[in-house]
Amino acid sequence: MSIEKDRISTAQLVILGLFTLIGDMALVYPAAMTTAAHQDAWIAALISIPLGLGTVFLMVTVANINPNKTIIELSQQIMGKWIGRVIGVFYLFFFIIAASTYVREIEDFMCTQIYEGTPGGVIRFMSIVLLVYGLRLGLETVSRAAQVFFPLFAVFLVCLMLLLLPQVKLERIYPILNTPLPDMLHAVMFGVFYPFGELCVFFMVYPFAQKNSKTNRDIFLCLVFGSAGLNLILFLSLTVLGVYFSEHNFYAAYVLAQKINIANFLQRLEALMATAWIITTYFKTALYFYAFVLGTAQLLKLKSHRPLIFPVAFLIYGLSQLIAKNIIFYVKEIPAYWVDWDFTVSLVLPLILLVVHKVKERAAAA
């Protein structure tokens, strides 16, 4: 019997998926892509969409081996008790590090862009208090809150994009196809596994969604729209800010919002961008926090995951400080290795689980 009693609808699953796909990427995606592919980043981003959807298809296929089990339970079912537990521990380690990283992202962004004189520990503490409050209320409550905030997020994002269109200059993306092939492939890998790879957290949420015949279709439609939104932010960054500023400013999308100026009246709307980013990053962090807490409870065979929420909150508070010495270290060192983590948890391990499952199925049939 599952220790999680809450259930979410397909619509809530799709919205959480959209928030997770965009999440922190709304601000950092342009810098990550242009660092590798420069003015051809938008081409690499377009190439990454079908590859990213293929990666998600693999994860959904693995999840559907037993739709009622999380990756912690599923890995033990397929690989056996001990190897399955090792895989489960690896996923749990990724979940806790990812949750801590997103909390640190919120702290660094707020302290460097908005509340410059505020100690980082205060922002971190406030973020974790909100996360704990949400998780204590349960997965269903968090999902319903995502539904409430989704129209606000969508309006903010669409308005920001439309208001920037008058400043687009296509000559800023020339020359086209001038990036060496290795750099282009590196950018494509970023475009696939940075946004799409982090959807592996839904291995821990998918079993509690009320599925129907259109669930998979809705998931992929949502991801198509989400990836199109991310790529539009990247394209606007390249054509409004230019390649140099998109590449060298970690919060390029936030700077992009500062450029809005309609008749010297409608301007300084970067707070809207910050609000949209904080909304998506909150729900993404909450899911990773939840995944670690639930997965740990399942691995230790506890009756409930709720008693773990407060201890894990303290763990995340400390890890978010230890994960990087400062924002420079965070920006320069972490992204290059993070894509390898995403590659492993979203492609390598699910592929191994699927292959072993198919081999065991054929052996049983023979």
Side-chain angles (χ1 to χ4, degrees):
M1 183 178 292
S2 173
I3 61 176
E4 176 58 82
K5 305 303 180 186
D6 286 354
R7 293 296 181 268
I8 63 175
S9 66
T10 295
Q12 291 165 348
L13 178 72
V14 165
I15 290 172
L16 287 173
L18 184 65
F19 281 169
T20 304
L21 178 72
I22 295 178
D24 57 327
M25 291 291 109
L27 281 186
V28 304
Y29 189 70
M33 294 297 289
T34 52
T35 298
H38 311 294
Q39 71 276 2
D40 292 324
W42 64 280
I43 299 175
L46 288 176
I47 295 172
S48 70
I49 292 177
L51 298 176
L53 293 175
T55 302
V56 175
F57 178 77
L58 171 64
M59 289 190 282
V60 171
T61 303
V62 171
N64 281 326
I65 291 173
N66 192 332
N68 298 316
K69 289 189 175 182
T70 67
I71 192 66
I72 305 300
E73 300 166 313
L74 196 60
S75 59
Q76 293 182 58
Q77 173 187 321
I78 296 172
M79 303 298 292
K81 181 179 179 180
W82 296 109
I83 297 177
R85 283 189 173 185
V86 170
I87 293 174
V89 168
F90 185 87
Y91 271 101
L92 291 180
F93 185 66
F94 176 71
F95 293 153
I96 189 67
I97 293 295
S100 304
T101 302
Y102 303 143
V103 170
R104 179 60 182 268
E105 278 187 353
I106 294 172
E107 174 192 336
D108 285 340
F109 171 72
M110 299 294 283
C111 291
T112 58
Q113 304 296 320
I114 300 178
Y115 301 119
E116 297 179 12
T118 305
V122 174
I123 301 295
R124 202 181 331 138
F125 177 77
M126 292 172 64
S127 302
I128 291 176
V129 166
L130 290 175
L131 289 167
V132 168
Y133 179 69
L135 292 187
R136 289 290 299 175
L137 293 175
L139 177 64
E140 186 176 351
T141 302
V142 170
S143 302
R144 289 183 178 182
Q147 275 188 303
V148 171
F149 280 107
F150 176 71
L152 187 67
F153 160 76
V155 168
F156 282 176
L157 208 58
V158 170
C159 286
L160 288 168
M161 290 176 180
L162 292 177
L163 292 173
L164 280 166
L165 289 178
Q167 300 188 44
V168 168
K169 294 183 179 179
L170 294 179
E171 59 268 21
R172 287 178 173 148
I173 61 173
Y174 297 143
I176 295 176
L177 295 177
N178 199 38
T179 305
L181 183 59
D183 292 342
M184 197 70 169
L185 293 176
H186 194 202
V188 170
M189 191 171 180
F190 270 35
V192 172
F193 296 109
Y194 254 10
F196 293 98
E198 295 184 359
L199 291 169
C200 67
V201 71
F202 281 87
F203 277 132
M204 302 299 298
V205 179
Y206 187 73
F208 311 117
Q210 296 170 346
K211 305 168 195 67
N212 54 52
S213 59
K214 298 180 180 179
T215 297
N216 289 347
R217 183 205 66 180
D218 293 344
I219 289 172
F220 285 99
L221 281 176
C222 150
L223 296 181
V224 168
F225 286 119
S227 56
L230 271 182
N231 288 342
L232 187 54
I233 291 173
L234 170 62
F235 185 76
L236 288 172
S237 181
L238 288 169
T239 53
V240 174
L241 296 179
V243 175
Y244 181 84
F245 284 105
S246 297
E247 181 178 343
H248 291 88
N249 197 311
F250 189 59
Y251 303 118
Y254 182 72
V255 176
L256 196 64
Q258 292 177 326
K259 304 291 277 185
I260 294 174
N261 187 347
I262 306 299
N264 289 325
F265 173 71
L266 191 60
Q267 54 186 328
R268 301 296 303 196
L269 299 181
E270 61 271 17
L272 297 183
M273 183 66 198
T275 302
W277 180 78
I278 289 170
I279 288 172
T280 56
T281 305
Y282 170 81
F283 287 105
K284 184 174 184 178
T285 309
L287 284 182
Y288 272 90
F289 191 160
Y290 169 80
F292 178 78
V293 169
L294 177 64
T296 302
Q298 289 181 330
L299 198 66
L300 299 177
K301 301 194 181 301
L302 303 179
K303 293 182 178 179
S304 174
H305 63 283
R306 293 181 184 273
L308 296 177
I309 292 176
F310 281 109
V312 172
F314 285 104
L315 181 60
I316 290 176
Y317 184 89
L319 280 176
S320 60
Q321 175 63 29
L322 294 174
I323 206 161
K325 295 179 288 186
N326 50 51
I327 190 172
I328 303 301
F329 179 89
Y330 178 87
V331 170
K332 295 297 182 184
E333 298 297 330
I334 290 181
Y337 300 101
W338 196 265
V339 71
D340 297 329
W341 279 60
D342 288 335
F343 173 72
T344 304
V345 296
S346 64
L347 182 65
V348 176
L349 291 178
L351 191 58
I352 291 172
L353 291 174
L354 183 61
V355 169
V356 171
H357 173 70
K358 293 297 182 183
V359 169
K360 290 174 72 174
E361 262 191 347
R362 290 190 177 184

